[in-house]
Amino acid sequence: MIQLSHRPRRNRKSAAIRALVEETKVTTDDLIFPIFLLDGKNQKVEVASMPGIFRLSTDLVLKEVEECLNLGIRAFDIFPVVEESLKDKTATKSYDSNFFYLRALREVKKQFPEACIMTDVAMDPYSSDGHDGLVEDGNILNDETLEILGKMALAQAETGIDILGPSDMMDGRVGYLREVLDNNGFTDVSIMSYTAKYASGFYNPFRDALDSAPKFGDKKTYQMNPANSREAMIEAALDTEEGADFLMVKPALAYLDIIKLLKDNSDLPIAAYNVSGEYSMVKAAAQKGWLDGERVAKEMLLSMKRAGADIILTYFAKEFAQAVKRQ
Ligand code: PBG
């Protein structure tokens, strides 16, 4: 026998020992399930680039939320699919309290007050330009956009939702929204800021789901350059100072270093958005039989948690919960 002072394999010799030394666990408590909401009744349309993910009308969203609650998923991020004819330059529908999205949010909170409901604050689903901010002569205006986001945030807060998710990347939006909320008595509505949101190729399936792709250009003047990490620290410092309750990194898988960076430098809870393209890659490879989809999805979620994410927004949430239940 060779004399070895350390044999790390001893801690891997049985399932029981492996469980004892396991450092990281993903549970349903950590997950937020994004849901795409359609207008109408009894509508269920699969997103072509996201097998297993559907656009659902309000009645079916209520069923979905109930099923997920029974599986232990208690947090949801709801996004509206807006018909092209209802989009305009100023995203008017986003703060029309009669719009189906805002009515649906009220209904969900009424039926499931215990569910944690998050919404998205950005103009793109409602904008005829398909940009997150107001467009003038091909430019995305910052301060003028804030006023629209303020109205949108207020209209969402009035439905009783729990967390606002500004995903627009305009400067100063967290502070601006916090002030609007507080001035209107919504001191309990939280802000999960998309702090380090990168101009990424991984969002395409989401834009298919919402038909929200930009009509011209790209989002590089407001979303971050994938080459940068120190810039994430600037965004994190500002969001923290402006009153964010959570900091988010998006996408997640190609940005694990950014998750770790924010985790090591902030005491706020860190969220990671395991975005649409990350989901689609796994599903596509699994459909071809090239990967075990369930196994790699779990491994991906684990990597985000290990990197420091306290919370993961993921399209795998429901499947993950079903797999846990089966075990
Ligand atoms: C809207 C928004 C996007 C996502 C969340 N909110 C798309 C974008 O910024 O273009 C992407 C989510 C995903 O890909 O799963 N501002």
Side-chain angles (χ1 to χ4, degrees):
M1 274 291 144
I2 297 168
Q3 185 66 38
L4 290 182
S5 55
H6 295 284
R7 289 186 183 268
R9 287 185 54 192
R10 275 197 290 266
N11 282 351
R12 302 176 204 138
K13 73 183 166 197
S14 71
I17 287 182
R18 289 193 293 274
L20 284 176
V21 301
E22 186 161 287
E23 297 173 36
T24 312
K25 278 195 169 66
V26 177
T27 78
T28 51
D29 284 344
D30 309 319
L31 307 181
I32 300 180
F33 189 31
I35 290 181
F36 300 126
L37 176 81
L38 267 183
D39 198 5
K41 255 196 128 168
N42 201 23
Q43 300 288 315
K44 180 174 180 178
V45 186
E46 192 166 32
V47 180
S49 50
M50 301 179 75
I53 294 294
F54 298 85
R55 304 154 144 202
L56 302 172
S57 53
T58 305
D59 50 331
L60 299 186
V61 165
L62 291 167
K63 274 199 186 150
E64 182 75 345
V65 169
E66 186 173 20
E67 269 182 45
C68 289
L69 286 171
N70 290 330
L71 287 165
I73 301 287
R74 291 182 289 173
F76 305 88
D77 192 359
I78 304 181
F79 296 91
V81 183
V82 181
E83 206 186 291
E84 202 57 41
S85 64
L86 298 175
K87 299 181 183 182
D88 61 17
K89 297 272 312 170
T90 53
T92 313
K93 286 295 173 193
S94 68
Y95 49 88
D96 171 352
S97 64
N98 240 329
F99 197 47
F100 79 97
Y101 178 55
L102 298 169
R103 279 193 277 118
L105 294 174
R106 260 180 239 121
E107 195 57 36
V108 172
K109 278 308 290 187
K110 191 171 131 202
Q111 291 210 22
F112 305 105
E114 73 278 27
C116 173
I117 304 298
M118 175 167 164
T119 54
D120 200 62
V121 182
M123 287 175 61
D124 52 333
Y126 318 91
S127 154
S128 45
D129 292 308
H131 274 285
D132 294 25
L134 190 63
V135 178
E136 194 183 271
D137 301 330
N139 296 314
I140 316 302
L141 306 181
N142 194 86
D143 301 13
E144 292 78 355
T145 298
L146 295 187
E147 289 176 31
I148 296 170
L149 298 180
K151 289 193 250 184
M152 189 185 305
L154 198 55
Q156 293 176 359
E158 279 165 352
T159 68
I161 57 94
D162 303 271
I163 304 177
L164 290 174
S167 68
D168 55 288
M169 288 305 276
M170 296 301 119
D171 289 336
R173 89 271 211 216
V174 171
Y176 187 88
L177 296 182
R178 188 69 268 162
E179 195 177 321
V180 169
L181 291 172
D182 291 355
N183 286 343
N184 287 278
F186 294 108
T187 52
D188 280 347
V189 173
S190 315
I191 297 180
M192 181 183 289
S193 180
Y194 285 64
T195 297
K197 177 172 180 180
Y198 288 88
S200 169
F202 285 101
Y203 307 147
N204 283 13
F206 174 95
R207 295 176 190 168
D208 292 344
L210 297 194
D211 292 325
S212 64
K215 300 282 163 56
F216 70 88
D218 52 42
K219 299 193 175 184
K220 290 180 185 167
T221 67
Y222 46 106
Q223 298 180 349
M224 287 172 54
N225 180 346
N228 296 354
S229 64
R230 282 184 303 157
E231 201 178 331
M233 294 291 291
I234 298 177
E235 292 286 357
L238 288 171
D239 286 354
T240 304
E241 196 178 291
E242 292 175 31
D245 300 286
F246 312 80
L247 304 180
M248 188 206 289
V249 175
K250 177 182 175 194
L253 198 57
Y255 297 84
L256 296 175
D257 57 326
I258 309 299
I259 296 172
K260 170 100 174 105
L261 183 70
L262 294 201
K263 180 65 169 192
D264 287 347
N265 289 286
S266 174
D267 293 326
L268 287 175
I270 305 298
Y273 200 140
N274 176 209
V275 299
S276 56
E278 299 169 343
Y279 174 88
S280 302
M281 288 192 305
V282 174
K283 287 290 168 182
Q287 280 185 348
K288 281 187 171 286
W290 291 352
L291 285 176
D292 175 344
E294 192 175 308
R295 184 171 171 192
V296 296
K298 267 179 142 170
E299 197 172 324
M300 278 167 55
L301 296 176
L302 195 61
S303 76
M304 295 160 201
K305 192 87 195 281
R306 196 184 63 236
D310 301 287
I311 300 161
I312 306 171
L313 293 99
T314 179
Y315 302 96
F316 291 117
K318 189 178 180 189
E319 266 181 64
F320 177 89
Q322 285 166 332
V324 170
K325 201 149 203 181
R326 258 187 273 118
Q327 279 163 14

